[in-house]
Amino acid sequence: MTGQRTAALAWVLLAALPAWPATAGDLDARVREFAGAHTRAAWCRQAEGAGDDAFAHGRQLQLWGYDSDDGKGERAILKDLSCYHRPMITPKGDRLVFNDFRKKLVKVVNWDGTGLRTLTNGIAADVWMDPATGIEWVYMIEREEEEYQGEPVIRFQLDRPSVSEMVWDHEDVTWDNFQLSADGTRASGQFPHPKGGYATLPNGEFTFLGKGCWTSISPDNSYLVWIFDGPHRNLRLYAPDGREWKVNINGAPGVDGYEVYHPRWSNHARYFAMTGPYKGGQKGKNLILSSGSAVEVYLGRFSEDFTRVEAWLKLTENDQPDFFPDLWIEGGGEAVAGTAGGPAAAPAAPAAKPAPRVKVEGRLVEIAPTPSVASIAPYTQALVVYGYEVVKVVEGECAAPKILVAHWAIRDKKILDLGKKLGGIYPLELELFDGHPELEGERLIMESDEYNLPLYYEIGN
């Protein structure tokens, strides 16, 4: 299903519900209709500053939560400004584990904001409950090698932090993307970024699936994995039998085709959380790092075959950006126990076909400024999207009067001189961007709001 049709279906669900600002009762009713069970969500909110801390590394944050059953709406769990990096709801749903990123401390707090304490040193990446014993474990990266990654991965018991063991030390892990299957035998992640896939635990092999970010694994035992693409608009799903397919997630009402971020599977395989839209940044800067006050928490529900998002719910509405959402649905694990083996109706990956090529002369009418190398980290290269009016079709077929073209702007941490100026007419040898799946994991910088225009890739750039 196309992104446009998915967005239209989602809008049907949202249009019938109360407009914002909603009361706590309105929101609870919407969530109950959306998820059908007791639901909790947690995230960090940048309460002060420029709204540019999408990685939640700073100390101008608050810890926020929502509970569908208490009638309070969204509220601050911890109001004091500090660092609440990557809040994660524990499997039993009664506590939150998060990081003080600057001090490299793993902390825990009760859902009602009491019992705040430090557990250990490190960066927590996931929480998981052993189905055989009911013991809750925290998985963390013990040593930081770079700002976004480290090794080894250690796990410790949430209620007995002194009980710990090493589970992975083969390669560095990017901690924002580590997540376990229900049985704990597989962990999705970046090993390290941008190498997405899964590791067999404890300390087994790494299976590479593709390049990208925010890798996540279904919380059941279907071993379905997604990798978020470089344009920050689609999930690429991988089934254990080798099937692959794409699901658009920036078509939610209110996102309007802009970039989204922080996608994370909940404890229920049909549901996930994310943030967006990212559109408030300064020209020439990475929109994710610039963030802006429009960034809110969205919840999505997959169709039964996982080929589309069948419904959306916008959870927050405020003038401060919200980051790193996590979603917990009561009974989530039991509700998806029958999905082992992956979605039966998911489409097989189509056979590779040569991308049709077209040569045009185009007048440059819109430029996305090249970002700095530092601003795209941990990516090391990026494409920028320019807008062109088609002056002449020299070879092939191109019916659109205006097109978007992705050009390489940064390769291997080196900025390229594209040699193009607004108003200039340039010969372009192009293929459709979607015909180059190898680019899905590359960072794509796009500032145009004309998302329905054809997107091409310049050959030989």
Side-chain angles (χ1 to χ4, degrees):
M1 176 172 287
T2 64
Q4 290 88 349
R5 189 175 172 192
T6 301
L9 286 172
W11 178 246
V12 170
L13 172 70
L14 291 178
L17 296 172
W20 289 98
T23 66
D26 291 337
L27 182 58
D28 292 345
R30 297 174 70 179
V31 172
R32 282 193 293 269
E33 180 176 348
F34 178 76
H38 180 201
T39 299
R40 283 178 168 174
W43 61 93
C44 56
R45 175 172 295 173
Q46 188 168 357
E48 292 185 358
D52 56 357
D53 192 11
F55 291 114
H57 289 176
R59 308 195 70 81
Q60 296 177 312
L61 304 169
Q62 294 174 327
L63 182 62
W64 280 70
Y66 166 79
D67 187 321
S68 66
D69 283 16
D70 66 8
K72 298 179 180 179
E74 58 174 282
R75 80 289 192 169
I77 295 174
L78 293 176
K79 293 183 179 180
D80 292 343
L81 295 182
S82 187
C83 183
Y84 303 102
H85 173 267
R86 193 174 178 73
M88 295 171 287
I89 305 173
T90 57
K92 295 178 182 178
D94 59 347
R95 288 178 286 182
L96 290 165
V97 172
F98 62 91
N99 301 303
D100 184 322
F101 187 87
R102 293 297 181 187
K103 295 181 178 180
K104 301 300 185 290
L105 296 175
V106 181
K107 297 187 175 184
V108 66
V109 66
N110 296 328
W111 184 257
D112 63 3
T114 64
L116 175 63
R117 61 191 176 96
T118 297
L119 296 171
T120 189
N121 297 93
I123 296 290
D126 198 20
V127 287
W128 174 80
M129 185 172 69
D130 188 330
T133 65
I135 295 174
E136 293 176 300
W137 294 82
V138 178
Y139 287 70
M140 73 169 191
I141 284 79
E142 188 174 46
R143 294 191 301 271
E144 179 185 16
E145 299 297 331
E146 297 181 20
E147 188 174 7
Y148 301 97
Q149 63 197 43
E151 59 86 24
V153 178
I154 304 293
R155 74 171 189 173
F156 63 87
Q157 291 186 13
L158 176 58
D159 292 310
R160 298 177 62 195
S162 61
V163 179
S164 65
E165 58 189 22
M166 188 273 293
V167 296
W168 175 266
D169 69 353
H170 292 339
E171 296 181 76
D172 284 347
V173 176
T174 303
W175 44 66
D176 283 343
N177 304 278
F178 194 86
Q179 195 170 17
L180 276 78
S181 58
D183 59 15
T185 64
R186 295 193 186 188
S188 63
Q190 309 283 298
F191 294 85
H193 181 278
K195 297 190 299 180
Y198 64 88
T200 302
L201 301 182
N203 223 27
E205 296 181 351
F206 165 63
T207 299
F208 174 77
L209 295 175
K211 295 173 66 177
C213 59
W214 294 100
T215 311
S216 197
I217 191 168
S218 180
D220 56 9
N221 290 325
S222 65
Y223 307 131
L224 187 62
V225 174
W226 82 47
I227 298 177
F228 191 38
D229 68 3
H232 294 165
R233 291 170 172 84
N234 304 287
L235 303 176
R236 187 77 183 177
L237 277 83
Y238 300 81
D241 60 9
R243 289 170 297 154
E244 303 175 16
W245 64 98
K246 184 187 295 185
V247 176
N248 174 262
I249 62 168
N250 75 326
V255 173
D256 302 326
Y258 286 97
E259 292 186 37
V260 295
Y261 210 53
H262 304 113
R264 179 174 173 82
W265 236 311
S266 75
N267 69 324
H268 189 308
R270 293 278 301 280
Y271 295 86
F272 67 95
M274 69 176 194
T275 61
Y278 288 79
K279 61 180 182 179
Q282 300 177 14
K283 290 288 185 180
K285 290 191 175 183
N286 184 346
L287 291 180
I288 298 300
L289 292 185
S290 300
S291 303
S293 60
V295 177
E296 306 287 356
V297 174
Y298 284 80
L299 310 181
R301 185 175 73 222
F302 287 113
S303 59
E304 289 187 0
D305 62 4
F306 291 85
T307 59
R308 61 186 175 88
V309 181
E310 68 176 19
W312 290 102
L313 191 145
K314 186 178 182 182
L315 187 65
T316 64
E317 181 81 7
N318 57 80
D319 58 1
Q320 297 166 317
D322 297 313
F323 305 125
F324 277 100
D326 194 21
L327 176 65
W328 176 90
I329 298 173
E330 187 172 16
E334 294 79 3
V336 299
T339 63
K353 296 180 180 179
R357 189 167 296 191
V358 60
K359 295 181 180 180
V360 304
E361 292 179 2
R363 178 180 288 107
L364 182 58
V365 295
E366 187 175 9
I367 286 178
T370 298
S372 68
V373 173
S375 73
I376 65 168
Y379 290 91
T380 60
Q381 48 192 36
L383 301 107
V384 294
V385 175
Y386 287 5
Y388 293 86
E389 293 177 349
V390 178
V391 176
K392 180 181 180 181
V393 178
V394 178
E395 183 180 317
E397 297 182 2
C398 180
K402 184 177 180 181
I403 59 175
L404 301 176
V405 179
H407 303 281
W408 280 112
I410 302 175
R411 298 297 295 264
D412 299 323
K413 297 185 178 181
K414 294 182 180 179
I415 294 180
L416 307 179
D417 182 4
L418 297 181
K420 292 179 171 60
K421 296 182 179 179
L422 284 172
I425 297 177
Y426 301 97
L428 300 166
E429 187 172 356
L430 308 171
E431 291 178 357
L432 286 171
F433 188 88
D434 284 347
H436 288 267
E438 76 278 5
L439 299 177
E440 291 180 351
E442 303 290 354
R443 188 69 180 97
L444 183 76
I445 306 298
M446 179 175 170
E447 296 195 349
S448 173
D449 57 5
E450 297 183 275
Y451 295 105
N452 292 325
L453 293 178
L455 176 60
Y456 288 89
Y457 168 63
E458 186 184 20
I459 304 301
N461 166 226

